[in-house]
Amino acid sequence: MHEDIVRTRAFAMPLTSPAFPIGPYRFHNREYLIITYRTDPQKLRELVPEPLQVDEPLVKFEFIRMPDSTGFGDYTESGQVIPVSLRGRKGGYSHCMFLNDHPPIAGGRELWGFPKKLANPTLRAEIDTLVGTLDYGPMRIATATMGYKHRAADLASVKAALQEPNYLLKIIPHVDGTPRICELVEYYLEDIDLKGAWTGPASLRLWSHALAPLAELPVLEVVSATHILADLTLGLGKVVHDYLAGSEPSRQKGRAHELTK
């Protein structure tokens, strides 16, 4: 295979059968259960990287059911998103995410920098209750419940929240283990067709786990819950902060390793 062919085909690994296709990535009937809760402000600030700022000690615990997504198939996701601001603009920082499908794990990490790990989340209606669960291996680490469609939510407010910027910390190491990419990435949800949104009574319980430390941000008070159904496109991102911009030593170390091969 000629070098030009390698360069032309290079998009994702493996070269001859990438783990995920080139976008755009459209999601149909994407269903959310989002429980916003109050947590320990000191622990929250210790986990959010500058230049992002924490305005209130809040966390959004999300369960997302995606039955029809371009290239990624049918899967479910769960994790914590922290409301933040960057230069006065409000958005959300994805702290950790757990899902049950390899292509969006690979694509999410490699393209955007989503902090995705393999686990087993579920989201389903059980009689009169919307139930979200998250298992890491055989252990239950999160359970959320919400009254099913008790009250209609304000669609304009929900859509405005979905349109806010989202932030990710993208980290890709060099072959010698030093950081080659360490960037704050901003992305948006696009072409949103909001089909419905509801609110109701809710509960959330988290359990400690060494490799899925959700409970490090403890639930002190449930503030609100939202159930959302929408079609949307996951937009590609842009770099808004480069943590290595002034860090030549780590870059030179990686370059020196390349030259000695």
Side-chain angles (χ1 to χ4, degrees):
M1 186 185 294
H2 193 276
E3 285 189 19
D4 288 341
I5 297 176
V6 174
R7 283 189 287 267
T8 300
R9 291 187 182 179
F11 164 70
M13 297 180 288
L15 174 65
T16 56
S17 58
F20 53 94
I22 296 174
Y25 305 98
R26 184 70 178 171
F27 295 78
H28 296 278
N29 295 319
R30 182 164 163 144
E31 185 176 22
Y32 294 81
L33 168 58
I34 304 174
I35 296 186
T36 302
Y37 71 91
R38 198 173 307 280
T39 193
D40 183 306
Q42 181 61 34
K43 291 182 178 180
L44 193 63
R45 291 186 176 92
E46 289 172 358
L47 295 174
V48 174
E50 294 180 334
L52 297 176
Q53 295 183 325
V54 176
D55 299 319
E56 294 184 81
L58 299 176
V59 179
K60 294 180 182 291
F61 201 99
E62 300 186 350
F63 291 87
I64 310 175
R65 180 81 186 94
M66 289 162 278
D68 181 359
S69 57
T70 305
F72 297 144
D74 179 349
Y75 67 105
T76 306
E77 188 169 277
S78 183
Q80 290 167 315
V81 177
I82 301 169
V84 295
S85 61
L86 178 66
R87 305 182 188 102
R89 298 171 60 239
K90 293 185 179 299
Y93 169 67
S94 294
H95 170 53
C96 58
M97 307 178 79
F98 301 90
L99 56 156
N100 57 1
D101 184 9
H102 175 255
I105 291 177
R109 291 169 69 106
E110 294 174 21
L111 281 172
W112 295 270
F114 280 104
K116 299 190 175 196
K117 297 179 76 172
L118 180 66
N120 185 32
T122 69
L123 178 61
R124 64 194 183 278
E126 293 281 2
I127 308 175
D128 61 349
T129 308
L130 189 63
V131 180
T133 64
L134 176 58
D135 295 343
Y136 195 94
M139 297 187 62
R140 177 64 45 87
I141 58 174
T143 298
T145 61
M146 175 182 169
Y148 190 76
K149 295 185 177 180
H150 275 216
R151 297 184 300 277
D154 181 73
L155 294 182
S157 297
V158 171
K159 188 169 185 177
L162 291 174
Q163 291 172 327
E164 288 182 348
N166 301 278
Y167 299 102
L168 303 161
L169 182 56
K170 182 175 183 177
I171 302 170
I172 295 182
H174 204 288
V175 292
D176 63 359
T178 58
R180 186 162 189 169
I181 293 175
C182 188
E183 301 167 336
L184 190 66
V185 173
E186 179 182 282
Y187 78 94
Y188 291 84
L189 302 178
E190 303 170 351
D191 302 323
I192 299 170
D193 178 12
L194 183 57
K195 297 181 175 182
W198 304 267
T199 186
S203 68
L204 176 64
R205 187 176 180 187
L206 307 178
W207 287 269
S208 297
H209 192 291
L211 300 182
L214 302 171
E216 283 190 358
L217 295 174
V219 180
L220 303 183
E221 176 192 9
V222 171
V223 176
S224 64
T226 310
H227 176 198
I228 301 169
L229 187 64
D231 295 346
L232 55 85
T233 298
L234 176 58
L236 295 174
K238 66 177 181 179
V239 176
V240 292
H241 184 75
D242 186 347
Y243 291 91
L244 301 181
S247 180
E248 285 304 313
S250 64
R251 291 188 168 190
Q252 291 300 326
K253 182 180 176 183
R255 178 60 178 160
H257 183 86
E258 271 190 345
L259 294 174
T260 56
K261 290 189 293 182

